[in-house]
């Protein structure tokens, strides 16, 4: 399965890794993973259906929520084929072109996630700072344009990665560290100079996750400043309450992502099991928890789900 360290080749096949040391338990471990995939895919599809069916949810906040559901569906659907193939059937081989395509989509949808969270932070700031002009500022065409910009940014920034990797010769064992293809894993395989890949990867991280997180922090500083200027304590609480779901989504997204990045850079000697656990938390937690949080915290979403299921209004 591995290749000689002295040979230089461009492998046509790479090999994914399940959960080290627990290979005999893969079939059992696949049960909770299947459940998590079911929750993530079903939850985000339900959010999309409810927003589409309920005309009262055609507001900017819910349109951004539908974008978040689409990007998280993309992440889940990008990883499910290889993850379950490895755990259920021990099918670890993947063609390099398919691996590069999977890497592209996973990271592309992750960048979209970050962009949508930033747009949602701006949405909450406008709603609190200038509520009377909220629907005049965030009009349907502007939201569509913003969604297009978020998508194009993700696609254009990720497009060079497969070509930058494809041009490099491989001289190391062609075994990846996860059950799916990630850029930090793939960049470890070539024996040629990967500084261009590393520098471009750093540029993408800073210009997306770094810039987005900074803008989100600034948005919440401005939101807090605006809220503190409100005289009524009841109105302050009401304004902050509208941000709870989004703030939770930001924490759920960025804490695992930052932890995973730190592991890749400073925890190289840690157990492979820790790396796999952190990567799975990063990819699974936001798509699973965000639909649950918004369904619990948002009365309009709860009502829409109740009507969709034929139950009484919440």
């Amino acid at each position: 399965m591995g290749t000689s360290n002295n040979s230089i080749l461009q492998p046509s096949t790479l090999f994914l890794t399940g959960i080290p040391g627990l290979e005999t338990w893969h079939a059992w471990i696949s049960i909770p993973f299947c459940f998590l995939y079911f929750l993530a895919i079903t939850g985000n599809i339900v959010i999309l259906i409810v927003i589409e069916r309920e005309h009262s949810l055609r507001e900017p906040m819910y349109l951004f929520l539908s974008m978040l559901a689409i990007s998280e569906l993309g992440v889940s659907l990008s990883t499910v084929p290889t993850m379950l193939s490895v755990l259920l059937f021990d099918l670890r081989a993947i063609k390099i072109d398919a691996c590069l395509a999977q890497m592209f989509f996973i990271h592309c949808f992750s960048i979209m996630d970050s962009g949508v969270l930033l747009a949602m932070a701006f949405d909450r700031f406008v709603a609190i700072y200038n509520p009377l002009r909220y629907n005049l500022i965030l009009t349907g065409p502007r939201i569509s344009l913003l969604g297009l910009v978020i998508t194009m940014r993700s696609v254009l920034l990720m497009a060079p990665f497969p070509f930058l990797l494809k041009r490099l010769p491989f001289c190391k064992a062609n075994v990846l560290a996860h059950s799916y293809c990630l850029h930090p894993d793939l960049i470890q395989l070539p024996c040629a100079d990967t500084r261009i890949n590393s520098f471009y990867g750093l540029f993408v991280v800073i210009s997306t996750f770094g810039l987005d997180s900074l803008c989100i922090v600034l948005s919440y500083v401005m939101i807090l400043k605006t809220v503190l200027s409100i005289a009524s304590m009841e109105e302050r609480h009401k304004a902050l309450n509208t941000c709870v779901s989004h703030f939770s989504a930001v924490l759920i997204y960025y804490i695992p992502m930052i932890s995973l990045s730190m592991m890749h850079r400073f925890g190289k000697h840690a157990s492979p099991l820790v790396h796999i656990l952190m990567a799975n938390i990063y990819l699974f937690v936001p798509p699973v928890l965000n639909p649950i949080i918004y369904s619990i915290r948002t009365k309009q979403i709860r009502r829409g789900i109740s009507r969709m299921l034929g139950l009484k209004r919440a």
Side-chain angles (χ1 to χ4, degrees):
M1 216 173 267
T3 58
S4 170
N5 287 337
N6 297 320
S7 62
I8 297 178
L9 66 157
Q10 186 68 30
S12 60
T13 302
L14 301 176
F15 294 91
L16 303 167
T17 299
I19 301 180
L22 300 174
E23 288 81 1
T24 58
W25 293 89
H26 276 179
W28 291 103
I29 294 172
S30 68
I31 296 174
F33 277 100
C34 288
F35 180 66
L36 290 174
Y37 274 120
F38 174 78
L39 285 180
I41 294 172
T42 303
N44 285 291
I45 288 176
V46 167
I47 293 289
L48 289 172
I49 292 174
V50 169
I51 293 174
E52 174 62 28
R53 291 179 57 176
E54 298 290 323
H55 293 286
S56 62
L57 299 182
R58 302 296 172 83
E59 296 180 9
M61 183 180 100
Y62 302 109
L63 296 178
F64 287 125
L65 178 57
S66 66
M67 293 182 195
L68 185 66
I70 290 171
S71 62
E72 291 180 343
L73 264 177
V75 172
S76 296
L77 294 175
S78 297
T79 58
V80 64
T82 54
M83 172 69 82
L84 295 187
S85 294
V86 170
L87 294 180
L88 287 173
F89 308 108
D90 197 33
L91 299 176
R92 303 200 296 120
I94 182 172
K95 295 295 183 182
I96 189 168
D97 289 337
C99 188
L100 293 174
Q102 185 185 47
M103 175 205 70
F104 171 83
F105 284 112
I106 290 175
H107 290 298
C108 190
F109 283 116
S110 295
I111 293 173
M112 285 178 62
D113 249 1
S114 180
V116 173
L117 289 173
L118 173 57
M120 295 174 81
F122 176 70
D123 166 79
R124 290 299 83 210
F125 169 69
V126 174
I128 293 173
Y129 181 76
N130 201 343
L132 297 179
R133 300 191 64 227
Y134 175 60
N135 287 310
L136 295 177
I137 295 173
L138 292 173
T139 61
R142 286 176 179 171
I143 292 173
S144 298
L145 178 61
L146 191 54
L148 179 62
V149 169
I150 291 171
T151 303
M152 291 304 298
R153 181 187 74 158
S154 305
V155 172
L156 292 177
L157 286 175
M158 279 305 303
F161 278 110
F163 300 101
L164 288 173
L165 283 168
K166 185 80 174 185
R167 69 185 176 87
L168 297 174
F170 287 66
C171 62
K172 299 179 182 178
N174 52 341
V175 179
L176 300 173
H178 300 92
S179 301
Y180 33 78
C181 300
L182 298 176
H183 183 259
D185 290 341
L186 287 165
I187 204 174
Q188 302 297 322
L189 301 183
C191 56
D193 188 355
T194 60
R195 282 181 295 180
I196 294 177
N197 301 62
S198 298
F199 288 145
Y200 183 69
L202 181 61
F203 164 74
V204 170
V205 169
I206 293 174
S207 62
T208 54
F209 304 116
L211 183 61
D212 291 351
S213 59
L214 177 61
C215 291
I216 289 172
V217 170
L218 291 176
S219 296
Y220 270 97
V221 169
M222 296 169 70
I223 286 172
L224 187 58
K225 182 179 178 181
T226 303
V227 169
L228 292 176
S229 67
I230 300 173
S232 169
M233 286 297 295
E234 183 180 350
E235 290 299 320
R236 287 185 188 181
H237 181 267
K238 184 178 178 181
L240 288 175
N241 197 46
T242 65
C243 299
V244 171
S245 296
H246 174 258
F247 189 70
S248 300
V250 169
L251 293 180
I252 288 169
Y253 179 80
Y254 278 102
I255 289 177
M257 185 200 71
I258 293 171
S259 301
L260 180 62
S261 298
M262 297 291 286
M263 286 295 301
H264 277 300
R265 284 163 177 77
F266 304 111
K268 293 181 179 180
H269 300 294
S271 167
L273 194 59
V274 177
H275 285 270
I276 289 174
L277 178 63
M278 291 305 305
N280 288 336
I281 290 174
Y282 166 60
L283 291 175
F284 278 101
V285 169
V288 170
L289 290 187
N290 283 338
I292 296 173
I293 290 172
Y294 275 95
S295 298
I296 293 173
R297 293 280 314 170
T298 310
K299 183 186 294 185
Q300 292 88 338
I301 297 289
R302 291 202 308 271
R303 287 177 176 173
I305 294 174
S306 296
R307 279 196 284 269
M308 187 178 72
L309 297 176
L311 304 175
K312 292 182 179 180
R313 292 181 61 178

